[in-house]
């Protein structure tokens, strides 16, 4: 199910919820629990935690999250942003049940912080696999995102991202869940280990334009 758009995925949900794309009354909403790290939270321009925004003195640009742009494309989607800056997949997993409660869809994203901290790729893949399985066991539709290029990483990190993404794609295939192709959406075709310069603000996270592309292209209905 490599690089699969979510058209059929969300269509199935809509069939269960009923609904009109343009108006999206409350009964037709599709609640999407977006669980992940700073890529999900919207760094560097946005943080879903109001306390963190106050402490940081910034992080209030709601355009700096892919979820914002995905909802503009389909107003039925109501996103719950459960992204936390700096977390590894084992830490993200601890928040799954709280994030997913009452949701229709679970998006699982993570892995780059594990790579940055030297966690073995196989361990990261097992954590992601377990989160997908837990989401499915809760009766949720689950989608899995792969890992973005890391412009500020070294050659070791670049190779580990390649290895992890191969495993992430295999998990999506094996468990029958849609894959969100974050990596290929923002990769620079001239420099395949990097995000394109105008699609990242700091080399670690997408820019607003990068988040827009993730929301409109990687997560599309």
């Amino acid at each position: 199910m490599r690089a699969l758009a979510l058209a059929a995925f969300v269509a199935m949900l809509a069939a269960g919820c009923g609904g009109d794309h343009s108006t999206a009354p409350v009964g037709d909403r599709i609640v999407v629990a977006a669980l992940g790290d700073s890529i999900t939270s919207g760094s560097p321009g946005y943080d879903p935690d109001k306390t963190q925004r106050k402490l940081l003195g910034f992080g209030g640009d709601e355009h700096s999250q892919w979820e914002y742009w995905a909802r503009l494309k389909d107003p039925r989607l109501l996103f719950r942003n459960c992204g936390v800056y700096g977390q590894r997949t084992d830490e993200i997993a601890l928040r799954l049940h709280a994030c997913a409660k009452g949701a229709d869809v679970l998006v699982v994203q993570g892995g780059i912080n594990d790579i940055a901290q030297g966690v073995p790729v196989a361990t990261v893949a097992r954590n992601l696999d377990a989160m997908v399985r837990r989401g499915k066991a809760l009766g949720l539709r689950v989608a899995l995102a792969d890992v973005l290029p890391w412009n500020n990483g070294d050659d070791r990190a670049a190779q580990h991202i390649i290895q992890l993404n191969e495993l992430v794609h295999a998990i999506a295939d094996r468990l029958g869940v849609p894959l969100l192709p974050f990596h290929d959406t923002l990769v620079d075709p001239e420099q395949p280990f990097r995000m394109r310069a105008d699609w990242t603000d700091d080399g670690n996270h997408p820019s607003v334009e990068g988040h827009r592309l993730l929301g409109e292209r990687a997560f599309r209905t």
Side-chain angles (χ1 to χ4, degrees), residues 3-199:
L4 179 68
L6 289 184
F9 179 66
V10 176
M12 285 189 292
L13 287 167
C17 298
D20 177 338
H21 286 236
S22 59
T23 57
V26 172
D28 295 337
R29 288 179 182 168
I30 301 168
V31 179
V32 183
L35 179 67
D37 55 33
S38 57
I39 304 303
T40 290
S41 72
S43 295
Y46 186 77
D47 193 299
D49 186 329
K50 293 180 181 179
T51 302
Q52 275 296 105
R53 293 203 298 267
K54 187 174 181 180
L55 287 172
L56 293 171
F58 62 90
D61 184 0
E62 64 178 2
H63 300 90
S64 183
Q65 48 177 335
W66 62 263
E67 299 94 327
Y68 172 89
W69 300 100
R71 191 176 188 207
L72 279 187
K73 294 289 286 185
D74 189 338
R76 294 171 302 170
L77 303 174
L78 180 62
F79 282 92
R80 182 180 300 157
N81 188 330
C82 301
V84 175
Y85 183 94
Q87 285 200 335
R88 301 182 307 271
T89 51
D90 60 316
E91 296 171 312
I92 293 168
L94 296 176
R95 299 186 289 107
L96 188 151
H97 282 275
C99 178
K101 186 176 181 180
D104 302 299
V105 181
L106 174 67
V107 176
V108 175
Q109 175 274 320
I112 190 59
N113 294 309
D114 303 70
I115 288 173
Q117 296 177 39
V119 178
V121 168
T123 300
V124 186
R126 283 196 297 272
N127 292 340
L128 293 168
D129 181 286
M131 281 189 273
V132 172
R133 291 178 185 274
R134 285 169 61 194
K136 288 168 68 76
L138 291 171
L140 302 172
R141 303 284 185 176
V142 182
L144 178 62
D146 61 10
V147 179
L148 287 171
W150 183 20
N151 294 24
N152 296 326
D154 56 17
D155 290 343
R156 176 202 64 84
Q159 291 303 315
H160 285 183
I161 289 171
I162 291 172
Q163 293 167 18
L164 178 55
N165 279 343
E166 289 175 350
L167 293 173
V168 166
H169 289 215
I171 291 167
D173 283 340
R174 183 171 64 252
L175 299 182
V177 301
L179 175 76
L180 306 186
F182 278 15
H183 183 279
D184 287 355
T185 299
L186 297 190
V187 72
D188 185 340
E190 302 298 323
Q191 302 180 83
F193 300 136
R194 299 172 63 87
M195 285 183 276
R196 213 175 79 175
D198 52 335
W199 293 342

